[in-house]
Amino acid sequence: MRMVSITEIRRNAKAVLAELVKNKKPIAILQRSKPVAYIIDAESFDKLQLLEDNDLKESRKRFLEKITKVKKRIVKKGVPEDSIMLIRDLREGKNRYE
């Protein structure tokens, strides 16, 4: 991975971006010899966004399945469905009220 200073970005932004587009490798931006940011090409960014969206969908799916299981358990016990109890059970873990 190439590392460039902020000063170099100011002086040669066009050249740095051209290299980024050509090589498709992230570039670290350094400030006082420490990385403060990374530049990636648009195609790589789009791929990362897509992966993140898919992970989020899977996470939501697992969470909804967990909510459904807790609701079924509450109804099975004969306890009226109460959103407060459901939220508390999800937050503090199952078997809390058993």
Side-chain angles (χ1 to χ4, degrees):
M1 176 185 315
R2 179 157 183 235
M3 296 182 213
V4 297
S5 67
I6 290 178
T7 305
E8 186 176 346
I9 292 283
R10 282 189 209 134
R11 290 180 186 160
N12 301 317
K14 188 175 180 178
V16 171
L17 290 176
E19 180 184 338
L20 174 70
V21 170
K22 179 183 174 187
N23 296 333
K24 305 260 189 238
K25 291 183 181 178
I27 297 175
I29 301 174
L30 305 177
Q31 184 175 29
R32 297 185 182 151
S33 301
K34 294 182 182 178
V36 294
Y38 296 91
I39 305 173
I40 62 172
D41 63 287
E43 185 180 333
S44 297
F45 179 80
D46 290 341
K47 288 178 184 177
L48 285 172
Q49 289 295 102
L50 185 60
L51 287 174
E52 188 177 292
D53 288 347
N54 288 339
D55 287 345
L56 186 59
K57 287 177 186 174
E58 286 298 317
S59 174
R60 286 179 182 163
K61 183 178 177 183
R62 286 192 303 274
F63 188 70
L64 287 173
E65 288 171 355
K66 187 175 179 180
I67 290 173
T68 303
K69 286 179 185 177
V70 171
K71 281 182 78 174
K72 286 180 183 177
R73 214 179 59 211
I74 289 173
V75 171
K76 187 176 181 181
K77 289 181 185 179
V79 178
E81 288 191 49
D82 184 357
S83 62
I84 295 172
M85 288 178 60
L86 177 61
I87 292 168
R88 193 175 292 158
D89 199 9
L90 287 170
R91 183 179 57 226
E92 297 173 6
K94 65 184 204 176
N95 299 329
R96 178 174 164 82
Y97 302 108
E98 293 180 11

